[in-house]
Amino acid sequence: MNPALTLLPSTDPAQLLRFRDRQYSAELIATALLHFDFFTWLGENDGTTSDAIAAHFGFITRPLDVLLTLCRASGLVSTNAAGEHHLTAQAREHLVKGSPWFLGPYYAPIKDTPIVQGFLQVLRTGKPGNWQAKSDAKDWHESMLDPEFARSFTDLMNSRGMVFGQFLAKGITPHLGQRRHLLDVGGGSGIYSSTMVAAHSQLSATVLEQSPVDAIVRKEIEKHGLTDRVQVVAGDMFQVTWPQADIVLLSNVLHDWDVAEARALLVKAAETLPSGGLLVIHDAFIHDDKAGPMAVAEYSALLMNITQGKCYSPAEYAELMSGLGFEPGAYQDTVADRGFMTAVKK
């Protein structure tokens, strides 16, 4: 077994990941500011609701939620218990036309960038923009069907997954009990299965991944020396019957999908797990009040642009599990703005 799988780093890579994760947040603010004059309108319609904003601008629910979350986390908008939105003093002074301190011209150079164009599409249609604003018109989901792209993206995820997986394996220890087999759904390179079984001798794992990623996973598992403990099953996680397990791991999976698809995956998890089975959702989580943390609100802007999803809160996940026979647990931090929540099947 690869000894690096259980070797924790001595430093936290959070800031280095934040540089990358926040790269779309300025463009989302610029889109609202320059293409919709969003903040001027919000100032003129103080106390408006999300439904009224959506109706006025033609915004789809998911991207509007991401925009408002970023605005709250940035100190530009406050939202009361009744769901009424108000501009803060900072936004009124610097983002409303006519103010002597209006910063619109400062954002003007990025008004027509490919990323901004992607945000215009997402806000109005709900459909993701092109992956990293490339010219082939493919979003992330389509791109993953290409073997070359799948390989490069899997390497990208693997580079951070070693750290994330090690801290997840450490944090999940008190929750494992006597459970023995983990199903890693949409498991990417298999790094989370690898770090989990490396840290816990009682565990074996199955990685469920679509083609062509499944072939990549098999090579990664072999490289780690874990072929006797981690198997790979090929299939579309929305279409196939999931292999049986007493732990289901959804690591950085649900954030790629809108509410309906996320709920569908949780339904399949409920169908797969036995009574007493454990669901683990590992991801970047928005606070329940949708006002932060800032790093996750920025990351959610990136996800909103290139996938069909966003970062969800523990409360949103608990609501999505409603009626599925789960008892949701509390959220727990791990490392670099990530964490996990568990739920036990009744």
Side-chain angles (χ1 to χ4, degrees), residues 58-80:
F59 290 166
I60 302 300
T61 299
R62 172 182 65 93
L64 174 58
D65 178 69
V66 174
L67 172 60
L68 288 171
T69 299
L70 180 61
C71 288
R72 280 189 292 266
S74 303
L76 304 175
V77 170
S78 65
T79 304
N80 63 22

PDB file of all heavy atoms in Angstrom, residues 58-80:
ATOM      1  N   GLY A  58     -35.535  37.797 -14.775  1.00  0.00           N
ATOM      2  CA  GLY A  58     -35.579  36.536 -15.508  1.00  0.00           C
ATOM      3  C   GLY A  58     -34.525  35.552 -15.043  1.00  0.00           C
ATOM      4  O   GLY A  58     -34.056  34.715 -15.828  1.00  0.00           O
ATOM      5  N   PHE A  59     -34.151  35.629 -13.766  1.00  0.00           N
ATOM      6  CA  PHE A  59     -33.125  34.747 -13.218  1.00  0.00           C
ATOM      7  C   PHE A  59     -33.722  33.403 -12.800  1.00  0.00           C
ATOM      8  O   PHE A  59     -34.847  33.340 -12.301  1.00  0.00           O
ATOM      9  CB  PHE A  59     -32.457  35.371 -11.994  1.00  0.00           C
ATOM     10  CG  PHE A  59     -31.580  36.557 -12.287  1.00  0.00           C
ATOM     11  CD1 PHE A  59     -31.156  37.391 -11.251  1.00  0.00           C
ATOM     12  CD2 PHE A  59     -31.157  36.852 -13.576  1.00  0.00           C
ATOM     13  CE1 PHE A  59     -30.343  38.489 -11.505  1.00  0.00           C
ATOM     14  CE2 PHE A  59     -30.348  37.956 -13.834  1.00  0.00           C
ATOM     15  CZ  PHE A  59     -29.946  38.770 -12.793  1.00  0.00           C
ATOM     16  N   ILE A  60     -32.931  32.358 -12.975  1.00  0.00           N
ATOM     17  CA  ILE A  60     -33.296  31.014 -12.525  1.00  0.00           C
ATOM     18  C   ILE A  60     -32.933  30.872 -11.048  1.00  0.00           C
ATOM     19  O   ILE A  60     -31.982  31.483 -10.562  1.00  0.00           O
ATOM     20  CB  ILE A  60     -32.571  29.957 -13.382  1.00  0.00           C
ATOM     21  CG1 ILE A  60     -32.924  30.143 -14.862  1.00  0.00           C
ATOM     22  CG2 ILE A  60     -32.915  28.544 -12.930  1.00  0.00           C
ATOM     23  CD1 ILE A  60     -34.397  30.009 -15.187  1.00  0.00           C
ATOM     24  N   THR A  61     -33.669  30.040 -10.324  1.00  0.00           N
ATOM     25  CA  THR A  61     -33.543  29.949  -8.862  1.00  0.00           C
ATOM     26  C   THR A  61     -32.130  29.618  -8.395  1.00  0.00           C
ATOM     27  O   THR A  61     -31.585  30.280  -7.510  1.00  0.00           O
ATOM     28  CB  THR A  61     -34.514  28.901  -8.314  1.00  0.00           C
ATOM     29  OG1 THR A  61     -35.859  29.284  -8.639  1.00  0.00           O
ATOM     30  CG2 THR A  61     -34.390  28.777  -6.799  1.00  0.00           C
ATOM     31  N   ARG A  62     -31.514  28.576  -8.956  1.00  0.00           N
ATOM     32  CA  ARG A  62     -30.197  28.137  -8.473  1.00  0.00           C
ATOM     33  C   ARG A  62     -29.146  29.235  -8.607  1.00  0.00           C
ATOM     34  O   ARG A  62     -28.488  29.592  -7.616  1.00  0.00           O
ATOM     35  CB  ARG A  62     -29.756  26.865  -9.195  1.00  0.00           C
ATOM     36  CG  ARG A  62     -28.314  26.438  -8.891  1.00  0.00           C
ATOM     37  CD  ARG A  62     -27.925  25.197  -9.680  1.00  0.00           C
ATOM     38  NE  ARG A  62     -27.892  25.421 -11.121  1.00  0.00           N
ATOM     39  CZ  ARG A  62     -26.814  25.774 -11.816  1.00  0.00           C
ATOM     40  NH1 ARG A  62     -25.661  25.960 -11.197  1.00  0.00           N
ATOM     41  NH2 ARG A  62     -26.875  25.956 -13.119  1.00  0.00           N
ATOM     42  N   PRO A  63     -28.921  29.807  -9.801  1.00  0.00           N
ATOM     43  CA  PRO A  63     -27.900  30.844  -9.898  1.00  0.00           C
ATOM     44  C   PRO A  63     -28.221  32.097  -9.099  1.00  0.00           C
ATOM     45  O   PRO A  63     -27.310  32.760  -8.592  1.00  0.00           O
ATOM     46  CB  PRO A  63     -27.815  31.127 -11.399  1.00  0.00           C
ATOM     47  CG  PRO A  63     -29.059  30.563 -11.990  1.00  0.00           C
ATOM     48  CD  PRO A  63     -29.448  29.424 -11.123  1.00  0.00           C
ATOM     49  N   LEU A  64     -29.498  32.435  -8.957  1.00  0.00           N
ATOM     50  CA  LEU A  64     -29.854  33.582  -8.127  1.00  0.00           C
ATOM     51  C   LEU A  64     -29.464  33.326  -6.679  1.00  0.00           C
ATOM     52  O   LEU A  64     -28.941  34.208  -5.988  1.00  0.00           O
ATOM     53  CB  LEU A  64     -31.347  33.889  -8.230  1.00  0.00           C
ATOM     54  CG  LEU A  64     -31.862  34.992  -7.286  1.00  0.00           C
ATOM     55  CD1 LEU A  64     -31.121  36.312  -7.515  1.00  0.00           C
ATOM     56  CD2 LEU A  64     -33.370  35.186  -7.460  1.00  0.00           C
ATOM     57  N   ASP A  65     -29.696  32.119  -6.204  1.00  0.00           N
ATOM     58  CA  ASP A  65     -29.318  31.764  -4.844  1.00  0.00           C
ATOM     59  C   ASP A  65     -27.809  31.920  -4.640  1.00  0.00           C
ATOM     60  O   ASP A  65     -27.353  32.439  -3.622  1.00  0.00           O
ATOM     61  CB  ASP A  65     -29.743  30.328  -4.539  1.00  0.00           C
ATOM     62  CG  ASP A  65     -29.335  29.882  -3.151  1.00  0.00           C
ATOM     63  OD1 ASP A  65     -29.896  30.399  -2.174  1.00  0.00           O
ATOM     64  OD2 ASP A  65     -28.433  29.015  -3.031  1.00  0.00           O
ATOM     65  N   VAL A  66     -27.024  31.487  -5.633  1.00  0.00           N
ATOM     66  CA  VAL A  66     -25.567  31.611  -5.542  1.00  0.00           C
ATOM     67  C   VAL A  66     -25.153  33.081  -5.533  1.00  0.00           C
ATOM     68  O   VAL A  66     -24.289  33.496  -4.750  1.00  0.00           O
ATOM     69  CB  VAL A  66     -24.890  30.860  -6.706  1.00  0.00           C
ATOM     70  CG1 VAL A  66     -23.385  31.113  -6.713  1.00  0.00           C
ATOM     71  CG2 VAL A  66     -25.165  29.360  -6.602  1.00  0.00           C
ATOM     72  N   LEU A  67     -25.761  33.887  -6.392  1.00  0.00           N
ATOM     73  CA  LEU A  67     -25.454  35.316  -6.445  1.00  0.00           C
ATOM     74  C   LEU A  67     -25.759  35.990  -5.106  1.00  0.00           C
ATOM     75  O   LEU A  67     -24.939  36.750  -4.570  1.00  0.00           O
ATOM     76  CB  LEU A  67     -26.246  35.991  -7.568  1.00  0.00           C
ATOM     77  CG  LEU A  67     -26.182  37.523  -7.625  1.00  0.00           C
ATOM     78  CD1 LEU A  67     -24.753  38.013  -7.822  1.00  0.00           C
ATOM     79  CD2 LEU A  67     -27.098  38.051  -8.740  1.00  0.00           C
ATOM     80  N   LEU A  68     -26.929  35.725  -4.549  1.00  0.00           N
ATOM     81  CA  LEU A  68     -27.302  36.360  -3.284  1.00  0.00           C
ATOM     82  C   LEU A  68     -26.419  35.878  -2.138  1.00  0.00           C
ATOM     83  O   LEU A  68     -26.071  36.660  -1.240  1.00  0.00           O
ATOM     84  CB  LEU A  68     -28.775  36.089  -2.982  1.00  0.00           C
ATOM     85  CG  LEU A  68     -29.774  36.851  -3.859  1.00  0.00           C
ATOM     86  CD1 LEU A  68     -31.190  36.346  -3.625  1.00  0.00           C
ATOM     87  CD2 LEU A  68     -29.689  38.352  -3.598  1.00  0.00           C
ATOM     88  N   THR A  69     -26.049  34.603  -2.167  1.00  0.00           N
ATOM     89  CA  THR A  69     -25.144  34.091  -1.132  1.00  0.00           C
ATOM     90  C   THR A  69     -23.797  34.792  -1.195  1.00  0.00           C
ATOM     91  O   THR A  69     -23.232  35.188  -0.164  1.00  0.00           O
ATOM     92  CB  THR A  69     -24.954  32.570  -1.287  1.00  0.00           C
ATOM     93  OG1 THR A  69     -26.225  31.916  -1.128  1.00  0.00           O
ATOM     94  CG2 THR A  69     -23.991  32.018  -0.254  1.00  0.00           C
ATOM     95  N   LEU A  70     -23.257  34.976  -2.403  1.00  0.00           N
ATOM     96  CA  LEU A  70     -21.993  35.684  -2.565  1.00  0.00           C
ATOM     97  C   LEU A  70     -22.129  37.136  -2.100  1.00  0.00           C
ATOM     98  O   LEU A  70     -21.226  37.674  -1.442  1.00  0.00           O
ATOM     99  CB  LEU A  70     -21.544  35.635  -4.026  1.00  0.00           C
ATOM    100  CG  LEU A  70     -20.230  36.348  -4.350  1.00  0.00           C
ATOM    101  CD1 LEU A  70     -19.056  35.738  -3.588  1.00  0.00           C
ATOM    102  CD2 LEU A  70     -19.955  36.300  -5.858  1.00  0.00           C
ATOM    103  N   CYS A  71     -23.251  37.763  -2.409  1.00  0.00           N
ATOM    104  CA  CYS A  71     -23.462  39.149  -1.988  1.00  0.00           C
ATOM    105  C   CYS A  71     -23.548  39.265  -0.469  1.00  0.00           C
ATOM    106  O   CYS A  71     -22.998  40.205   0.127  1.00  0.00           O
ATOM    107  CB  CYS A  71     -24.726  39.712  -2.628  1.00  0.00           C
ATOM    108  SG  CYS A  71     -24.579  40.028  -4.403  1.00  0.00           S
ATOM    109  N   ARG A  72     -24.235  38.327   0.181  1.00  0.00           N
ATOM    110  CA  ARG A  72     -24.303  38.352   1.649  1.00  0.00           C
ATOM    111  C   ARG A  72     -22.926  38.122   2.262  1.00  0.00           C
ATOM    112  O   ARG A  72     -22.508  38.826   3.192  1.00  0.00           O
ATOM    113  CB  ARG A  72     -25.297  37.310   2.145  1.00  0.00           C
ATOM    114  CG  ARG A  72     -26.757  37.739   2.058  1.00  0.00           C
ATOM    115  CD  ARG A  72     -27.667  36.751   2.760  1.00  0.00           C
ATOM    116  NE  ARG A  72     -27.709  35.476   2.062  1.00  0.00           N
ATOM    117  CZ  ARG A  72     -28.625  35.156   1.149  1.00  0.00           C
ATOM    118  NH1 ARG A  72     -29.567  36.003   0.811  1.00  0.00           N
ATOM    119  NH2 ARG A  72     -28.596  33.957   0.569  1.00  0.00           N
ATOM    120  N   ALA A  73     -22.205  37.113   1.746  1.00  0.00           N
ATOM    121  CA  ALA A  73     -20.880  36.803   2.281  1.00  0.00           C
ATOM    122  C   ALA A  73     -19.918  37.968   2.084  1.00  0.00           C
ATOM    123  O   ALA A  73     -19.003  38.171   2.888  1.00  0.00           O
ATOM    124  CB  ALA A  73     -20.324  35.548   1.606  1.00  0.00           C
ATOM    125  N   SER A  74     -20.131  38.760   1.031  1.00  0.00           N
ATOM    126  CA  SER A  74     -19.262  39.897   0.719  1.00  0.00           C
ATOM    127  C   SER A  74     -19.676  41.170   1.446  1.00  0.00           C
ATOM    128  O   SER A  74     -19.027  42.211   1.278  1.00  0.00           O
ATOM    129  CB  SER A  74     -19.284  40.154  -0.799  1.00  0.00           C
ATOM    130  OG  SER A  74     -18.899  39.012  -1.521  1.00  0.00           O
ATOM    131  N   GLY A  75     -20.746  41.118   2.205  1.00  0.00           N
ATOM    132  CA  GLY A  75     -21.197  42.303   2.922  1.00  0.00           C
ATOM    133  C   GLY A  75     -21.920  43.311   2.059  1.00  0.00           C
ATOM    134  O   GLY A  75     -21.972  44.505   2.378  1.00  0.00           O
ATOM    135  N   LEU A  76     -22.523  42.862   0.956  1.00  0.00           N
ATOM    136  CA  LEU A  76     -23.216  43.757   0.029  1.00  0.00           C
ATOM    137  C   LEU A  76     -24.728  43.731   0.212  1.00  0.00           C
ATOM    138  O   LEU A  76     -25.413  44.701  -0.136  1.00  0.00           O
ATOM    139  CB  LEU A  76     -22.876  43.381  -1.419  1.00  0.00           C
ATOM    140  CG  LEU A  76     -21.390  43.360  -1.772  1.00  0.00           C
ATOM    141  CD1 LEU A  76     -21.192  42.861  -3.197  1.00  0.00           C
ATOM    142  CD2 LEU A  76     -20.774  44.733  -1.579  1.00  0.00           C
ATOM    143  N   VAL A  77     -25.241  42.624   0.701  1.00  0.00           N
ATOM    144  CA  VAL A  77     -26.681  42.434   0.872  1.00  0.00           C
ATOM    145  C   VAL A  77     -26.923  41.779   2.227  1.00  0.00           C
ATOM    146  O   VAL A  77     -26.148  40.920   2.658  1.00  0.00           O
ATOM    147  CB  VAL A  77     -27.261  41.542  -0.256  1.00  0.00           C
ATOM    148  CG1 VAL A  77     -28.700  41.147   0.039  1.00  0.00           C
ATOM    149  CG2 VAL A  77     -27.171  42.247  -1.602  1.00  0.00           C
ATOM    150  N   SER A  78     -27.990  42.192   2.881  1.00  0.00           N
ATOM    151  CA  SER A  78     -28.463  41.486   4.075  1.00  0.00           C
ATOM    152  C   SER A  78     -29.870  40.976   3.806  1.00  0.00           C
ATOM    153  O   SER A  78     -30.617  41.580   3.028  1.00  0.00           O
ATOM    154  CB  SER A  78     -28.453  42.405   5.303  1.00  0.00           C
ATOM    155  OG  SER A  78     -29.384  43.467   5.132  1.00  0.00           O
ATOM    156  N   THR A  79     -30.212  39.861   4.418  1.00  0.00           N
ATOM    157  CA  THR A  79     -31.525  39.245   4.212  1.00  0.00           C
ATOM    158  C   THR A  79     -32.127  38.937   5.572  1.00  0.00           C
ATOM    159  O   THR A  79     -31.485  38.301   6.412  1.00  0.00           O
ATOM    160  CB  THR A  79     -31.398  37.957   3.389  1.00  0.00           C
ATOM    161  OG1 THR A  79     -30.737  38.242   2.152  1.00  0.00           O
ATOM    162  CG2 THR A  79     -32.771  37.363   3.100  1.00  0.00           C
ATOM    163  N   ASN A  80     -33.355  39.393   5.817  1.00  0.00           N
ATOM    164  CA  ASN A  80     -33.973  39.169   7.128  1.00  0.00           C
ATOM    165  C   ASN A  80     -34.732  37.844   7.153  1.00  0.00           C
ATOM    166  O   ASN A  80     -34.787  37.111   6.153  1.00  0.00           O
ATOM    167  CB  ASN A  80     -34.874  40.344   7.516  1.00  0.00           C
ATOM    168  CG  ASN A  80     -36.056  40.528   6.561  1.00  0.00           C
ATOM    169  OD1 ASN A  80     -36.469  39.612   5.863  1.00  0.00           O
ATOM    170  ND2 ASN A  80     -36.593  41.755   6.542  1.00  0.00           N
TER     171      ASN A  80
END
